[in-house]
Each structure stands twice: as C-alpha cells, then as structure tokens.
Amino acid sequence: MTQAASAASAPTRDAPSRVAAWWIGRRRPPHPAPPPTALVLGDRSPEAARALHGYGFAVTRWHRRLAPGQRCSAWPPAGPFAEVWVRLPRSWPEAEMLLHAAAARVPDGGQLFLYGAGNEGIRSAASRFPPGADGPRTLCIRRRCRVLAATRTAPPPRPDGLDHWTVRAPVDLGRGPREWIHYPGIFACGRLDEGSALLIDHLPPVPPGARVLDYGAGSGTIGAALAEGSPGAMVLLLDNDAIALTAAARNLPAAPRILGDRLGHAPLPIDHIVSNPPIHSRRAQSLATIERLVRDAPAALAPGGALTLVAQRRLGLQRLLGAHLRRVRTVADRGPFRVWRGWTAGRAQSARPPS
Ligand SMILES: C[S@@+](CC[C@H](N)C(=O)[O-])C[C@H]1O[C@@H](n2cnc3c(N)ncnc32)[C@H](O)[C@@H]1O
C-alpha cells in the first residue's frame, strides 16, 4: 500500500489528522446542542478528534495499540455514533475491517469518513468502503492528504465483531503445519515471518519453572514454539496491540498475556526474554523500541538470565547488546536475519551459560 515518496515531501504521520481537522473547522455553523456523538478510529494524533470536539461533538477515540492516555481495546465501542472517522491504517485488510466496524456504528444516513496521505494509499482507498456505504467522495485534498466521505444507506454485509475477521492459515513452528489464527493488521498476517522462523529454530531449552517472556509476541508464534520445546516453562506474551493479543489468546490459550509496551509491564524478574522486536514506528524505521528493550533487559532479567532476539543483520545490534549484556553471541545467521543472545551477570538459570 505504501509507495515511496521523497522524505522531504512526504506528509508526516500527523498530517492527515491536521487536514481532517482543517476540513472539520470549515464546517459551519457548529452543531447545536445536545452534542451528537463521533467516533475516531485508530488516529494517534489528537487533531481530528479535537476539531470534532470544537465543532460540538461528544468524541470517543479508539485504538487497538497502546496510546498514551487513550482507550485501547481489541474492538471499538458499540455506539451508535452520528459519525465515524477512520484514520487510514497500514494495510488494506485492516482498512476494510475498520470501515466495516465504522459502518456498523452509524445509523442509515450516518456519515463515514476516511483520511490519510497520498503515500499511504488514500488515493485508491474509496473502493475499500463496504457495500451499503454510498458514494465515497473526496471532500478535500490538501498537503498530499485526502478526506473521503460516504453515507451509510444499508448495514455492512459482515456481522460486527473481531471474530468475523479471523484469518486462518497454516504455519509450521517446527512440528508440521498447524492452523494459526491471525487478524488484519497483525505482523506477518497469515504466514510465519522469516526472522521469527530463524529464532524459533534456535530457541534455547529452558528449565521447567523458568519464566520466559515473548516480547512483541504478535499472534504468539515464538512463545508457542518455546512452550512446546520447553514443557514446564512459564511463557508470557507481551504486545502493545490488543488485537494481536486476542489472536495469541486463541493460539496459545494457556499463556498469560500482557498488554504493554515495556518490560516493566511484565511480572519481573524474567529468566529469559525472546523477541522479534519491532523496527518501525508508524511507517519509518526506528530502533527506539529495541534500544529500550535492550537497555531495560538487565534490570528485568533474573541473575544469569538471557535475552535472545532476532533482527535484520544490517541493523548491527552487537554493539548495543554488548553495552548492556555480557558475552553477547551470534547464535544464528540466515538470509538477512541474525539471532543474538546475551546474558546478565550472575549464575545462569535459563539457557546454557556462556563458557
Ligand atoms: C516484528 S513483530 C513480531 C511479532 C511476533 N513475535 C511474530 O514473530 O510474528 C513485532 C511485534 O511487536 C509489537 N510491538 C510494537 N511496538 C511495541 C512495543 N513498544 N512494545 C511491545 N510490543 C510492541 C507489534 O504489535 C508486533 O506484534
């Protein structure tokens, strides 16, 4: 969906929200009391929601991923709402899922809005509105961003609810193909990521009773492989995406799940952390999450505990890991990926200690 645009001219992630706010600000006169209700889906920038509030709406915001001070859950509140505003997400399946959820939350005659940037695909997004959302039309084009609107004339074809967006696809975690549950917008939806597969092939055996955290667990592939390879280990799954954790709950029902975005959100100490960590923030590459994970690992790990992570070799994480952990080793190297492992000081309790 993303087309490359030069960094200098590409709109920032907040630009569509500002453009939506600009359009809302030109809607005059302000709505009379009592305030109608509006729902904003998946916009981390507050601009559009603020503008709706200024226009007279009682505004609810919903996020699937943790956002500071914001409601975060696996599915939007039921409503109904007079209008629903959808920030164009990263993939088309997720866009279709959110537009369906939006259409289920307005009455017939209610308005659905979709806003995003040209380099995110908003120019071809009109076809993603569900049947029964009439006319998708462009309300405004500004700063390489667009606001589209459609009027609901009939309920959307799929029933409301995350269950109706289940993606079932076989994955092989080392013991043959098995059915695996994903939802739109989850990392590597419908397949096993190459980097995760490499990490799964090189997971350390951990002793019964050891507490292992899959950080950035997504649908739970790495945690599931670890639980199978080390029966008796207590596997915890942490992710900042409530929808990913819903998939993980279906794939690995016995594992406790933590909706969080840092090690401190897990019960500590941990004996072993395994991770295929995110290397993007919004659309741009960012090592901020990896850096925090590695920096926080020594305090979160039990003495002798270990961190094993997979990432693209080009990221050259050896130095970062070496700055915070002992005896950092390359455990595997395949294609563009590398698996590193490092230990904290103290008596090793999880994976085999460095000799
Ligand atoms: C590269 S994906 C790996 C997913 C999964 N482990 C797999 O192998 O399929 C990274 C995961 O980290 C999650 N994530 C992103 N930022 C995070 C953060 N700050 N804290 C925790 N999880 C985060 C994403 O939702 C995503 O599920």
Side-chain angles (χ1 to χ4, degrees):
M1 169 189 236
T2 311
Q3 295 121 39
S6 79
S9 57
T12 64
R13 181 70 187 164
D14 290 343
S17 196
R18 271 190 226 115
V19 169
W22 175 85
W23 184 83
I24 294 160
R26 287 165 55 95
R27 249 174 156 189
R28 293 283 174 225
H31 230 285
T37 52
L39 174 65
V40 179
L41 298 183
D43 191 351
R44 292 178 71 94
S45 166
E47 310 267 348
R50 268 193 212 137
L52 285 165
H53 180 74
Y55 183 72
F57 279 92
V59 182
T60 303
R61 297 174 70 187
W62 172 84
H63 303 271
R64 62 183 283 175
R65 295 187 176 79
L66 280 182
Q70 294 295 310
R71 182 192 304 240
C72 168
S73 61
W75 201 242
F81 299 89
E83 296 187 348
V84 182
W85 288 72
V86 180
R87 174 69 176 89
L88 184 66
R90 275 177 279 193
S91 71
W92 290 126
E94 189 179 1
E96 285 166 9
M97 178 175 81
L98 292 188
L99 285 167
H100 251 82
R105 281 160 178 72
V106 296
D108 286 349
Q111 295 288 300
L112 308 173
F113 298 87
L114 179 68
Y115 55 107
N119 66 343
E120 297 168 351
I122 191 70
R123 281 189 294 264
S124 51
S127 61
R128 306 294 163 167
F129 282 83
D134 260 21
R137 57 199 181 278
T138 301
L139 295 179
C140 111
I141 305 177
R142 198 174 153 79
R143 296 184 181 160
R144 299 175 190 238
C145 300
R146 292 181 188 212
V147 180
L148 315 183
T151 305
R152 180 178 130 160
T153 53
R158 282 200 211 191
D160 189 41
L162 184 57
D163 272 3
H164 300 288
W165 295 89
T166 302
V167 176
R168 287 188 171 81
V171 301
D172 186 347
L173 304 180
R175 295 173 188 231
R178 62 159 79 175
E179 186 179 86
W180 202 251
I181 302 291
H182 285 97
Y183 298 108
I186 293 181
F187 176 77
C189 182
R191 64 185 174 88
L192 179 62
D193 173 66
E194 214 187 318
S196 302
L198 182 63
L199 177 52
I200 285 171
D201 287 347
H202 294 87
L203 285 170
V206 292
R211 199 187 273 182
V212 187
L213 178 70
D214 180 355
Y215 182 92
S219 65
T221 47
I222 298 168
L226 202 136
E228 286 177 4
S230 298
M234 184 197 216
V235 177
L236 309 168
L237 309 172
L238 181 148
D239 205 283
N240 71 349
D241 176 5
I243 293 185
L245 288 182
T246 304
R250 292 181 68 184
N251 291 321
L252 198 55
R257 294 163 304 279
I258 302 142
L259 182 61
D261 61 7
R262 60 200 63 208
L263 288 175
H265 290 153
L268 302 179
I270 300 289
D271 296 302
H272 204 122
I273 301 165
V274 291
S275 186
N276 177 357
I279 58 164
H280 290 93
S281 170
R282 301 178 171 179
R283 276 162 208 270
Q285 179 177 302
S286 162
L287 297 187
T289 304
I290 297 188
E291 284 166 1
R292 187 169 64 191
L293 169 64
V294 175
R295 198 182 56 231
D296 292 351
L301 285 166
L307 166 68
T308 301
L309 62 77
V310 64
Q312 292 183 26
R313 185 185 316 106
R314 69 179 174 82
L315 297 176
L317 297 181
Q318 181 87 22
R319 184 177 295 183
L320 171 70
L321 287 156
H324 297 278
L325 295 166
R326 289 172 65 231
R327 309 288 291 270
V328 175
R329 292 174 169 190
T330 296
V331 175
D333 227 340
R334 192 164 74 202
F337 295 101
R338 180 170 281 182
V339 176
W340 289 271
R341 184 171 301 142
W343 281 261
T344 57
R347 207 170 131 255
Q349 292 170 358
S350 52
R352 216 169 318 132
S355 51

